[in-house]
Amino acid sequence: MKNRQFDKSKLPSRHVTEGPARAPHRSYFYAMGISEEEIHQPWVGVATCWNEAAPCNIALNRQAQAVKQGVKVGGGTPREFTTITVTDGIAMGHEGMRSSLASRDAIADTVELTMRGHCYDAIVGLAGCDKSLPGMMMAMVRLNVPSVFIYGGSILPGRLNGQDVTVQDVFEAVGKHQAGNYSDAELAVLERVACPSAGACGGQFTANTMACVSEAIGLALLNSSGAPAPYESRDEYGMASGEAVMTLIEKNIRARDVVTRKALENAARVVACTGGSTNAGLHLPAIAHEAGIDFDLFDVTDIFHDTPYFVDLKPGGAYVAKDLYEAGGVPVVMKELRKIGLIHEDCITAGGRTMGEELDLITREADGRVIYPAATPITPTGGVVGLKGNLAPDGAIVKVAGMKPEEQVFSGPARVFECEEDAFEAVKARAYREGEVLVIRNEGPAGGPGMREMLATTAALSGQGMGKKVALITDGRFSGATRGFCVGHVGPEAAHGGPIALLRDGDRITLNAITGELSVALTDEELAVRKAEWKGPRPTQYASGALWKYARLVGGARKGAVTHPGAGAELHVYMDQ
């Protein structure tokens, strides 16, 4: 244990550990075997999203034990607690997906409440799947305590017929099966080998995208997100993260010292150059909101637009997270961005050093296979771009990684569906035509409710060989595993009376990812007439419970679909109580 002296008079835990009035509180601590010395040390919440719901979370409990040991070595008292997780791969394609985005804010809320209720001085947060990563980071920034994030790690790729396979291949195989091009026996083999270990989905889907963000934004130790979940080396990063948070307490470096406007820009750069998930366009503004920083979808996509795409990862590319790790991981990616002047080097990190100082320690170079040199990228602009126009005044987002320039322009008549189920049934029955723009509305944060991801529908299109022959737009979301011309986050959403609510079959829609356009061939006058005739939001069956509450609190996707006023309205800072 390091011989450190901490001033408890300035730490929140003094409210439960110090003075005669806290004797009842200390009696509880003694009941759990906590020593007198430990009671008077700084208290560190070790928050995990561990559960038995999915492989992405199953290894978090093991890694938390390493974190706790690191905290102890650093002179702190770790207290482990858990929060919920909704895993998108299992929630996908049915009503369960409505719970997914809402779970992000529930994670942030429950971590905040646990930290506040027990007066912990700092946090190390472990998360493993799509919404748990941003939810945990949002809680850190909201509380503004010394914070270190650690990712649970990706799954190992499966192998079939000499090729790497992921869960994306299984979703797309369902589409091939529906089209009669994949047998029951082939599907049974694929589903058994696609996910061979613990860990989050292996491509540059939402979990791995936000894991890269955690390093780039500075909340995670550099290179800590790369090792796959089964690797025991992850425990070394857990130990180091526990020690690091104690240094942050000692130096009084808090989450908002780390998460600045410049740090958010660094994170957006890494999303763009890796062809990351469009969901980052939702989560980065939400994290910024917790810090009181105005950083919305347009800010994110402006950065995406002038960042080259040079990391060849699935779903648009060839490789998975394990390959990126073996090629040097996020540090090498950021080193390449630095070479072309696209990294803010003065941002402080969880390691206590600046990003520039951290990158100075990196000796590896781009391998030219997984990580291309940034000076000779795969494409000159980011793998994710923003769109805007009279159909999306508040913007929209599309992943173009792996798409040729000629595939990034599409114009066709609308085929409108009122929900995902209607669209999926039409796709399954092939009740659509080549050249159409499929419109799925009433799936936004409030209107869904829950802004469901729609991998089942897009994967079915790809499986039918139609992924490049139709386009799809929605006020909902697409999975990080989605590919093809699939535009999400169209805002304002239909439930808020956005233009997507006014579309009719046959309206001609133009999508242009090169110029950033999403428009419909209707005059302002015609749109105004339709708005006057609009009968209001489509009713949902959620008249009570968590989703009812979420639908009434949640804001638009442009600002991150947040559910409270954020640090801009803050009158009380937890750490300074």
Side-chain angles (χ1 to χ4, degrees):
M1 182 181 295
K2 295 184 179 179
N3 186 18
R4 286 171 163 163
Q5 297 297 318
F6 295 96
D7 183 2
K8 287 277 278 191
S9 69
K10 296 181 180 179
L11 295 178
S13 63
R14 72 185 187 278
H15 296 297
V16 295
T17 65
E18 306 306 306
R22 298 306 179 237
H25 304 66
R26 291 192 294 272
S27 70
Y28 287 130
F29 304 146
Y30 286 122
M32 293 184 284
I34 301 173
S35 71
E36 181 177 1
E37 181 184 12
E38 289 171 325
I39 287 172
H40 297 294
Q41 293 176 159
W43 287 55
V44 178
V46 179
T48 83
C49 299
W50 178 86
N51 61 30
E52 294 182 333
C56 37
N57 309 307
I58 203 72
L60 294 176
N61 178 265
R62 182 200 88 218
Q63 294 180 38
Q65 308 319 305
V67 171
K68 289 160 67 177
Q69 186 61 33
V71 170
K72 290 178 180 179
V73 167
T77 302
R79 304 312 296 160
E80 183 179 356
F81 65 93
T82 59
T83 184
I84 68 159
T85 320
V86 173
T87 299
D88 287 9
I90 292 174
M92 194 75 65
H94 56 87
E95 286 293 298
M97 180 48 76
R98 300 196 189 282
S99 300
S100 170
L101 184 58
S103 76
R104 181 196 72 178
D105 293 74
I107 289 165
D109 291 349
T110 51
V111 171
E112 177 198 359
L113 292 173
T114 301
M115 291 284 292
R116 283 184 180 275
H118 299 95
C119 296
Y120 295 152
D121 302 317
I123 182 171
V124 180
L126 298 92
C129 61
D130 293 5
K131 304 309 170 297
S132 61
L133 279 81
M136 191 67 72
M137 287 186 267
M138 287 164 65
M140 292 172 172
V141 179
R142 183 185 302 177
L143 289 160
N144 196 26
V145 295
S147 303
V148 180
F149 177 87
I150 185 163
Y151 179 42
S154 70
I155 199 168
L156 294 171
R159 294 288 289 180
L160 183 63
N161 301 324
Q163 300 292 320
D164 283 351
V165 291
T166 71
V167 72
Q168 174 193 356
D169 297 285
V170 186
F171 274 103
E172 293 185 1
V174 172
K176 294 176 185 177
H177 181 270
Q178 290 166 350
N181 300 323
Y182 211 77
S183 69
D184 289 347
E186 287 175 307
L187 193 59
V189 171
L190 178 60
E191 72 184 46
R192 283 166 171 78
V193 301
C195 299
S197 75
C201 299
Q204 193 65 341
F205 314 148
T206 305
N208 281 316
T209 297
M210 295 309 296
C212 291
V213 161
S214 72
E215 289 188 41
I217 209 169
L219 285 172
L221 298 181
L222 215 56
N223 207 36
S224 65
S225 70
Y231 286 18
E232 290 190 4
S233 59
R234 291 220 57 79
D235 296 348
E236 297 176 25
Y237 283 111
M239 181 90 170
S241 296
E243 292 188 62
V245 81
M246 298 309 300
T247 299
L248 296 180
I249 295 173
E250 185 177 42
K251 295 182 177 180
N252 194 27
I253 296 174
R254 307 181 185 185
R256 293 182 201 168
D257 298 322
V258 173
V259 179
T260 62
R261 171 74 187 222
K262 288 181 178 179
L264 290 158
E265 291 176 1
N266 285 347
R269 295 282 185 204
V270 168
V271 174
C273 74
T274 60
S277 169
T278 55
N279 284 313
L282 197 68
H283 301 321
L284 285 173
I287 294 169
H289 179 74
E290 301 290 355
I293 299 169
D294 188 9
F295 190 73
D296 69 9
L297 178 64
F298 292 135
D299 296 305
V300 175
T301 55
D302 283 348
I303 292 169
F304 288 172
H305 185 265
D306 62 3
T307 307
Y309 164 54
F310 59 85
V311 187
D312 192 21
L313 296 173
K314 289 177 178 285
Y319 299 101
V320 295
K322 174 177 175 287
D323 302 310
L324 176 60
Y325 171 64
E326 292 172 351
V330 174
V332 174
V333 173
M334 296 189 75
K335 187 176 173 182
E336 286 300 314
L337 286 167
R338 180 167 75 166
K339 289 178 182 178
I340 56 174
L342 294 183
I343 284 292
H344 297 293
E345 297 185 48
D346 57 343
C347 297
I348 197 71
T349 71
R353 292 182 288 266
T354 67
M355 185 60 73
E357 290 169 337
E358 292 281 8
L359 295 179
D360 286 340
L361 302 174
I362 306 303
T363 58
R364 295 188 65 175
E365 300 289 342
D367 66 339
R369 183 179 69 99
V370 181
I371 306 171
Y372 286 59
T376 55
I378 300 168
T379 59
T381 192
V384 180
V385 299
L387 306 177
K388 187 179 182 181
N390 70 341
L391 186 46
D394 277 352
I397 196 166
V398 61
K399 179 183 284 193
V400 296
M403 294 174 66
K404 299 173 183 176
E406 60 269 23
E407 295 169 347
Q408 296 182 32
V409 179
F410 198 102
S411 184
R415 175 69 66 93
V416 180
F417 300 97
E418 300 298 336
C419 62
E420 181 191 9
E421 286 81 3
D422 292 352
F424 183 69
E425 288 303 315
V427 169
K428 192 164 65 171
R430 301 185 79 99
Y432 63 94
R433 296 177 182 174
E434 182 177 330
E436 288 183 326
V437 179
L438 310 185
V439 178
I440 304 177
R441 63 189 178 198
N442 303 304
E443 293 289 0
M451 203 180 187
R452 288 188 289 179
E453 290 186 354
M454 300 181 202
L455 179 58
T457 301
T458 58
L461 286 168
S462 294
Q464 292 173 3
M466 296 295 287
K468 296 179 180 179
K469 297 177 182 179
V470 297
L472 200 158
I473 71 169
T474 181
D475 53 6
R477 297 181 295 128
F478 292 114
S479 165
T482 294
R483 56 179 172 167
F485 214 144
C486 299
V487 178
H489 305 196
V490 174
E493 63 172 292
H496 293 162
I500 193 171
L502 313 177
L503 292 177
R504 298 171 183 168
D505 285 346
D507 289 341
R508 190 155 197 88
I509 295 172
T510 297
L511 306 93
N512 189 324
I514 297 171
T515 62
E517 177 189 357
L518 176 55
S519 62
V520 58
L522 296 172
T523 64
D524 291 345
E525 290 75 18
E526 174 61 20
L527 286 169
V529 168
R530 293 189 185 185
K531 182 65 178 289
E533 296 171 349
W534 182 57
K535 293 181 171 58
R538 177 175 178 262
T540 79
Q541 62 183 353
Y542 299 95
S544 65
L547 289 174
W548 174 88
K549 187 190 306 181
Y550 179 80
R552 278 149 184 79
L553 291 173
V554 71
R558 176 178 172 178
K559 295 185 181 293
V562 295
T563 56
H564 69 108
E570 193 173 61
L571 300 177
H572 163 77
V573 178
Y574 164 74
M575 193 65 184
D576 295 328
Q577 63 176 318

